[in-house]
Amino acid sequence: METTINQSITTEKDFSSSSKLLLAIPLYVYVSVIASMCVILGILWDIAWHMSIGRDGLFSAPHVVTYIGAAAAGIFSGYQVLKTSFWGNQLEKGKMVKFWGVFYSSLGGLFCIWGGIASLTSAPFDDWWHNTYGLDVQILSPPHTVLLLGLMSVQMGAMIAVLAFLNRSEKISSLSAEENTKRTNRLQWMFIFTAAFLITSIFTFLSESLGRWAMHSPSFYQVASAAFPIFLLATGRASGKKWGTTYICFIFLFFHWVVNAVLRLLPVEPLLGPIHNQITTYQTLGFPLLLFIPAFAIDWLRDKLSAKNDWTMALMLGVIYTVVLLVSHYPFGTFLHESPLARNWFFGSNSWSFQNDADWEYRFKFGPWNDKPLSAWLTGILLAVVYSIISSRIGLAWGNWMKQVQR
């Protein structure tokens, strides 16, 4: 009987501790993190829908998931603005950004509100576009571009909303020292997850240039070297964890793979002709990039160069990122695009839109346009290194700014 009572007391203490930790971080911050996940989940599902079914309606399932995420972020952030502006005390208002002379909001909340409005506004624009011009053949159509920018604003808002609390280094009086440490760790991981969701969006945004068929082309390394270091270094530095960039890239890899792997199990049939590839399950984007490999090199080198100035760090990090990316992804591209071992549910290299010719001769091999002379490769990789250095320097500066965000 005494053992049972002790166990009950322990359970109540654990529950009380968890509840206090939850209450120590505002609800709108949790909602923004979940919204960040929902919007990219909806985007990946929508792409698979276009590849597998064809025309979608304004309120198709993927669109609804995206709308819910964007709307939730905007509504909860908007409520927080009104609550702080009209019912908040001076201490609460002092932690916010004042705008229009009346309202008080966190910087992350402003991003979420704008992103939610832009995302929902793009929905009827996208529906009109389909009704006027038919099915999109590219990810970056005008309405999709507006949508993606709005959704990425929501994700940026989620990141900054978490950062504001993380950077204040507040000690909540109602929490013990151990609970305050757990709260800080929770905020760090919330930030890492939001950063991973943003990286997933960046990759999806650029997937037409970063597919497996492009991994034997210098342009792949130029795009990847310009696009990713800025985000990886900024978020890795702001995370406050030694291996922050690596954690972010592992979560990106796992999340992107899980969403598409689950979709590839679901039955579906095309509803728009002509059908050149008979399919019975969802077709999706291919296997994600192995960004955790250059990310590991970045984190290791960033720690070793911590005493150096940012210009020196950017130079060395930019070079190592591109070199590791090339060494890891050129052979990985060979495997994904040409090996029969990659044509399965796990790697998804056999995913092919119903609109594409199933018997295209270059479906599973690189085309002659990938045969570049050595001089073209040297020039292309040199440009990629330059892009990477510039991107790394901006990323380090952005990371410094992120570490100062407290509103």
Side-chain angles (χ1 to χ4, degrees):
M1 180 69 176
E2 185 178 350
T3 302
T4 303
I5 293 173
N6 288 337
Q7 288 176 343
S8 176
I9 292 173
T10 302
T11 302
E12 288 177 5
K13 286 181 178 178
D14 290 342
F15 178 77
S16 175
S17 177
S18 298
S19 299
K20 286 195 293 182
L21 283 170
L22 279 171
L23 292 173
I25 302 171
L27 178 61
Y28 81 91
V29 178
Y30 283 106
V31 171
S32 67
V33 174
I34 296 171
S36 179
M37 180 191 69
C38 286
V39 296
I40 185 56
L41 171 62
I43 290 172
L44 291 173
W45 190 1
D46 190 46
I47 291 171
W49 186 292
H50 279 270
M51 292 176 64
S52 312
I53 298 174
R55 177 71 171 91
D56 51 3
L58 182 60
F59 295 105
S60 64
H63 287 179
V64 170
V65 172
T66 304
Y67 302 155
I68 289 174
I75 290 170
F76 275 81
S77 296
Y79 168 76
Q80 189 68 24
V81 170
L82 296 177
K83 179 175 178 294
T84 304
S85 300
F86 298 108
W87 295 282
N89 56 43
Q90 290 302 313
L91 180 62
E92 292 173 328
K93 291 179 179 180
K95 296 178 181 179
M96 300 293 178
V97 177
K98 187 177 182 180
F99 66 102
W100 293 350
V102 178
F103 298 103
Y104 292 84
S105 172
S106 67
L107 183 59
L110 289 175
F111 272 95
C112 286
I113 292 168
W114 183 90
I117 293 172
S119 302
L120 297 177
T121 302
S122 72
F125 180 30
D126 185 47
D127 193 58
W128 169 83
W129 185 273
H130 284 308
N131 289 331
T132 306
Y133 299 107
L135 181 66
D136 296 307
V137 294
Q138 293 181 331
I139 292 176
L140 296 181
S141 65
H144 285 174
T145 300
V146 174
L147 174 64
L148 285 169
L149 290 174
L151 296 181
M152 286 171 62
S153 179
V154 169
Q155 294 180 310
M156 283 290 299
M159 278 176 41
I160 296 173
V162 175
L163 271 180
F165 286 88
L166 180 60
N167 291 338
R168 288 175 196 163
S169 301
E170 294 176 315
K171 301 299 180 184
I172 308 301
S173 59
S174 60
L175 302 179
S176 67
E178 181 182 358
E179 289 169 340
N180 271 298
T181 300
K182 288 182 178 179
R183 175 179 179 271
T184 298
N185 189 60
R186 177 176 295 192
L187 285 167
Q188 287 177 322
W189 280 104
M190 288 170 67
F191 175 78
I192 285 170
F193 271 89
T194 57
F197 298 145
L198 178 62
I199 295 297
T200 308
S201 293
I202 299 297
F203 172 65
T204 304
F205 204 119
L206 300 172
S207 59
E208 290 172 343
S209 300
L210 296 175
R212 62 185 183 274
W213 53 85
M215 291 182 184
H216 281 195
S217 172
S219 63
F220 171 90
Y221 301 95
Q222 291 169 7
V223 172
S225 293
F228 292 115
I230 183 174
F231 292 99
L232 297 182
L233 285 167
T235 55
R237 172 170 274 189
S239 71
K241 288 189 175 291
K242 177 180 177 180
W243 302 104
T245 311
T246 305
Y247 295 147
I248 289 167
C249 291
F250 265 123
I251 294 170
F252 149 69
L253 174 72
F254 182 74
F255 177 79
H256 188 282
W257 177 82
V258 166
V259 172
N260 285 316
V262 170
L263 287 172
R264 288 194 288 269
L265 294 173
L266 303 180
V268 77
E269 64 174 317
L271 298 178
L272 184 68
I275 300 172
H276 299 296
N277 180 34
Q278 295 294 334
I279 61 172
T280 57
T281 58
Y282 271 106
Q283 307 300 294
T284 68
L285 293 177
F287 202 82
L289 301 184
L290 305 179
L291 286 178
F292 71 91
I293 299 177
F296 178 82
I298 283 175
D299 279 334
W300 178 82
L301 191 58
R302 188 163 55 92
D303 181 62
K304 298 297 181 183
L305 299 175
S306 58
K308 302 291 185 180
N309 64 61
D310 282 356
W311 283 104
T312 302
M313 287 183 68
L315 178 64
M316 300 184 72
L317 290 170
V319 172
I320 198 68
Y321 170 86
T322 302
V323 170
V324 174
L325 185 75
L326 175 63
V327 170
S328 59
H329 283 76
Y330 192 94
F332 189 56
T334 301
F335 170 75
L336 285 179
H337 200 49
E338 296 185 337
S339 174
L341 297 177
R343 299 168 202 168
N344 50 44
W345 164 79
F346 186 88
F347 288 104
S349 291
N350 56 341
S351 282
W352 200 241
S353 172
F354 72 90
Q355 294 180 307
N356 295 337
D357 182 4
D359 298 319
W360 187 45
E361 64 173 314
Y362 297 112
R363 179 178 176 182
F364 295 120
K365 70 175 182 179
F366 289 98
W369 51 86
N370 288 110
D371 296 330
K372 307 286 186 183
L374 180 59
S375 59
W377 267 100
L378 291 175
T379 302
I381 296 303
L382 180 60
L383 278 174
V385 169
V386 172
Y387 297 156
S388 182
I389 292 171
I390 296 172
S391 184
S392 296
R393 184 63 187 89
I394 297 172
L396 291 171
W398 188 17
N400 287 333
W401 175 83
M402 280 189 174
K403 291 171 68 176
Q404 305 303 315
V405 172
Q406 295 189 9
R407 296 190 175 197

